[in-house]
Amino acid sequence: MKVDFDPRLPNGGDLQQLKTRLYDVLRMLATAVNRHEGGYVAGVVSTTASYTVQADDGVIFVDATAGARTVTLQQPAESQGKRVSVRKTDASANNVTVQGPSGLIDGAATLVLTAAAPKCTLASNGTNHFTI
């Protein structure tokens, strides 16, 4: 990450100018980190259709009002250590099924989100996915 910023104070700079300059540097660094894929800001997706999780997704909101939906996770090896949250956003009787292209989710082939249990957060150990 390259932050193009001149930290020097102009001649005659005082303590208040130094504080302001440091605040600007910290704000720029926080913005740069948060825009980074591995930073604090997670990609958010809202969908009314079945969906395949992408590399920069962190939160998937699924509306299953019109019918059952499926969310397909990334390969466990590709998403090792990364958290992905899936949330069923409607109160319908239609389920949202979370599945992996390979491996298991907590020992099962799928995880079903219902109106009674509408959310999950998952992480991979490189071989399987687990709810956390």
Side-chain angles (χ1 to χ4, degrees):
M1 162 180 52
K2 181 181 178 197
V3 177
D4 192 17
F5 183 79
D6 183 0
R8 294 175 290 176
L9 288 172
N11 289 339
D14 62 6
L15 184 59
Q16 185 57 42
Q17 286 179 320
L18 177 61
K19 287 180 187 178
T20 301
R21 187 67 60 107
L22 287 174
Y23 173 79
D24 290 342
V25 169
L26 291 173
R27 190 183 65 220
M28 288 174 61
L29 287 173
T31 301
V33 168
N34 287 337
R35 287 187 182 156
H36 187 270
E37 177 182 321
Y40 298 109
V41 176
V44 176
V45 174
S46 294
T47 184
T48 58
S50 291
Y51 184 75
T52 299
V53 177
Q54 304 300 308
D56 58 347
D57 292 343
V59 178
I60 296 100
F61 293 114
V62 184
D63 184 337
T65 302
R69 301 292 181 244
T70 301
V71 174
T72 303
L73 302 169
Q74 290 182 285
Q75 291 287 345
E78 295 173 6
S79 60
Q80 184 171 357
K82 180 183 173 200
R83 292 182 186 187
V84 175
S85 296
V86 181
R87 170 73 189 216
K88 178 181 175 344
T89 60
D90 64 279
S92 73
N94 299 320
N95 294 333
V96 173
T97 301
V98 181
Q99 67 183 16
S102 66
L104 302 174
I105 301 171
D106 286 345
T110 63
L111 176 67
V112 178
L113 304 180
T114 64
K119 61 186 174 182
C120 68
T121 298
L122 302 139
S124 168
N125 67 354
T127 305
N128 295 298
H129 289 92
F130 297 92
T131 55
I132 53 172

